[in-house]
Amino acid sequence: MIEIKELKKIYGHGKNKVVALDGIDLNIKPGEIFGIIGLSGAGKSTLIRCLNMLEKPTKGKVIIDGFDLTSLSGDQLRSVRRRIGMIFQHFNLLWSRTVADNIAFPLEIAGEKDKGKIEARVNELLDLVDLSDKANAYPAQLSGGQKQRVGIARALANNPKVLLCDEATSALDPQTTGSILELLANINKKLGITMVIITHEMAVIKAICDKVAVIEDGKIVESGPVFDLFTNPHTKTARRFISTINSTELPDVILERQKISRGHSKLIRISFIGSSAGEPIISDMIQKFNIKANILYGNIDHIKNNIFGTLTVQLIGADSNTSQALTYLEGLGLKVEVINVE
């Protein structure tokens, strides 16, 4: 559905040259919800604007639904752009138009003259985003969440195959963010539309995305299924984002206590994935190897239907017994990390 090949975007020249995108390669399958996460200035917004040619790339290709957008003429590009909807962070609504008229606007721009068809499509979209009672309201009369629902309906007006979301929830409170993400997930399921979501919030990625790419300094530094990224991040940037919602770092007060009372003990971090998160692994280990286990810190979460979590445990007992316990845990397929307390 979407292929991005060696994409580069450079602003300025000479000493003033800024490389916003530096050789981006991505493949996004039809019907996927694909997240792109990065810090401010990483290049994520430039990337999404290159996907619909609001920004013309310096080099590389953007292929959507078989069309190389970088090679199209003006008329051809305008035609293909109707297959691509876009949702903006700050809504970008026309304040002098009603909700219904805002949603109708893309249809009018596309050349639709039949008012009956326009009205029918607008009513269909109002129902989809649960705003049928707001058709005659103006943007100033709406809440932030309602404005974004109008933005979503407008983006869907021309039946696009791709929906681009540029920080679509950043201006919303957490509760409203949840409702908008639920709406997007329902639209994806109902319409089969491919979505690309740009965000700096890992909670958004966790809630809705199938796959994710981490962008840093204009480069993709890590990508893959969301569950894989959460359970086995490879880069410092990915770990930093994950820690915002699933911290595995021990609080300083616990580390200080461990420095004082190390003795015959090992401090370990166990990562649980899938069904193992519901098994009595710790109690079985205690019985098998004649050790004590002091649970210090833990976190259990889920990505869609997969459970994962971490548990930081102090194992107390003879060195041979604690070593056997570690071997036992690893034999169960768990990721076990021994934490050195200096």
Side-chain angles (χ1 to χ4, degrees):
M1 168 55 74
I2 301 175
E3 294 181 73
I4 305 171
K5 298 181 177 181
E6 299 181 5
L7 195 69
K8 284 195 173 188
K9 177 62 180 178
I10 300 173
Y11 295 101
H13 302 279
K15 293 181 179 180
N16 296 321
K17 183 172 72 172
V18 175
V19 180
L21 300 175
D22 191 8
I24 300 291
D25 289 293
L26 282 176
N27 283 281
I28 301 171
K29 295 179 180 179
E32 276 187 341
I33 303 180
F34 196 100
I36 300 173
I37 190 167
L39 299 171
S40 178
K44 56 187 186 296
S45 289
T46 301
L47 175 56
I48 202 169
R49 290 171 69 85
C50 284
L51 293 186
N52 59 5
M53 296 292 116
L54 289 178
E55 292 280 358
K56 188 171 179 61
T58 305
K59 182 183 176 183
K61 293 184 177 182
V62 175
I63 302 171
I64 295 182
D65 200 24
F67 294 91
D68 180 3
L69 273 61
T70 59
S71 66
L72 299 181
S73 66
D75 288 341
Q76 291 172 323
L77 182 58
R78 279 188 288 274
S79 177
V80 173
R81 270 187 180 146
R82 293 172 192 166
R83 303 165 184 252
I84 307 169
M86 188 160 182
I87 306 169
F88 300 90
Q89 179 179 1
H90 296 294
F91 322 127
N92 282 22
L93 302 180
L94 298 171
W95 296 93
S96 61
R97 281 181 165 239
T98 64
V99 166
D101 289 340
N102 265 281
I103 298 171
F105 188 63
L107 296 168
E108 296 167 3
I109 294 296
E112 181 60 67
K113 303 296 185 183
D114 190 323
K115 291 185 178 180
K117 287 184 178 180
I118 291 176
E119 183 178 358
R121 180 61 176 157
V122 168
N123 288 336
E124 179 185 359
L125 291 166
L126 284 169
D127 183 61
L128 179 65
V129 300
D130 198 23
L131 285 180
S132 295
D133 60 332
K134 299 294 183 182
N136 297 316
Y138 287 88
Q141 298 171 298
L142 304 178
S143 68
Q146 289 171 333
K147 291 173 187 172
Q148 195 57 285
R149 286 173 181 268
V150 177
I152 293 170
R154 180 188 57 189
L156 296 173
N158 283 313
N159 290 300
K161 292 189 175 183
V162 175
L163 187 62
L164 307 179
C165 308
D166 188 6
E167 298 279 10
T169 59
S170 294
L172 306 176
D173 62 74
Q175 183 174 348
T176 306
T177 291
S179 70
I180 293 297
L181 293 177
E182 184 178 357
L183 174 61
L184 290 173
N186 289 337
I187 289 170
N188 169 260
K189 185 176 180 180
K190 184 175 181 178
L191 304 181
I193 192 169
T194 304
M195 295 184 181
V196 180
I197 296 180
I198 295 292
T199 185
H200 64 273
E201 300 173 283
M202 203 65 196
V204 171
I205 299 294
K206 171 180 171 289
I208 193 174
C209 294
D210 302 307
K211 292 183 180 178
V212 60
V214 181
I215 187 169
E216 183 176 18
D217 294 330
K219 298 179 180 180
I220 300 298
V221 296
E222 188 164 358
S223 66
V226 172
F227 187 74
D228 291 353
L229 186 78
F230 266 83
T231 56
N232 190 28
H234 296 295
T235 63
K236 183 178 179 181
T237 302
R239 288 192 290 271
R240 185 189 308 162
F241 278 118
I242 291 168
S243 70
T244 62
I245 60 173
N246 185 31
S247 177
T248 60
E249 297 300 319
L250 279 174
D252 290 341
V253 64
I254 293 179
L255 286 172
E256 289 301 320
R257 288 175 183 171
Q258 293 308 304
K259 291 177 183 178
I260 297 171
S261 60
R262 276 180 287 181
H264 291 288
S265 70
K266 283 187 173 69
L267 193 62
I268 65 170
R269 182 182 294 118
I270 309 168
S271 295
F272 296 84
I273 301 174
S275 60
S276 61
E279 298 296 324
I281 294 168
I282 300 299
S283 60
D284 288 351
M285 177 189 66
I286 292 171
Q287 295 177 22
K288 284 178 180 290
F289 302 105
N290 190 30
I291 59 175
K292 295 180 181 179
N294 183 19
I295 297 174
L296 301 174
Y297 198 69
N299 193 320
I300 294 180
D301 209 332
H302 66 277
I303 299 288
K304 296 191 174 179
N305 296 322
N306 294 309
I307 299 173
F308 74 99
T310 60
L311 200 62
T312 303
V313 180
Q314 181 188 27
L315 300 182
I316 304 170
D319 288 345
S320 58
N321 291 359
T322 56
S323 295
Q324 290 177 41
L326 293 181
T327 302
Y328 167 74
L329 294 174
E330 291 169 348
L332 294 175
L334 301 174
K335 181 181 176 183
V336 182
E337 175 189 359
V338 177
I339 302 171
N340 294 316
V341 180
E342 301 296 336

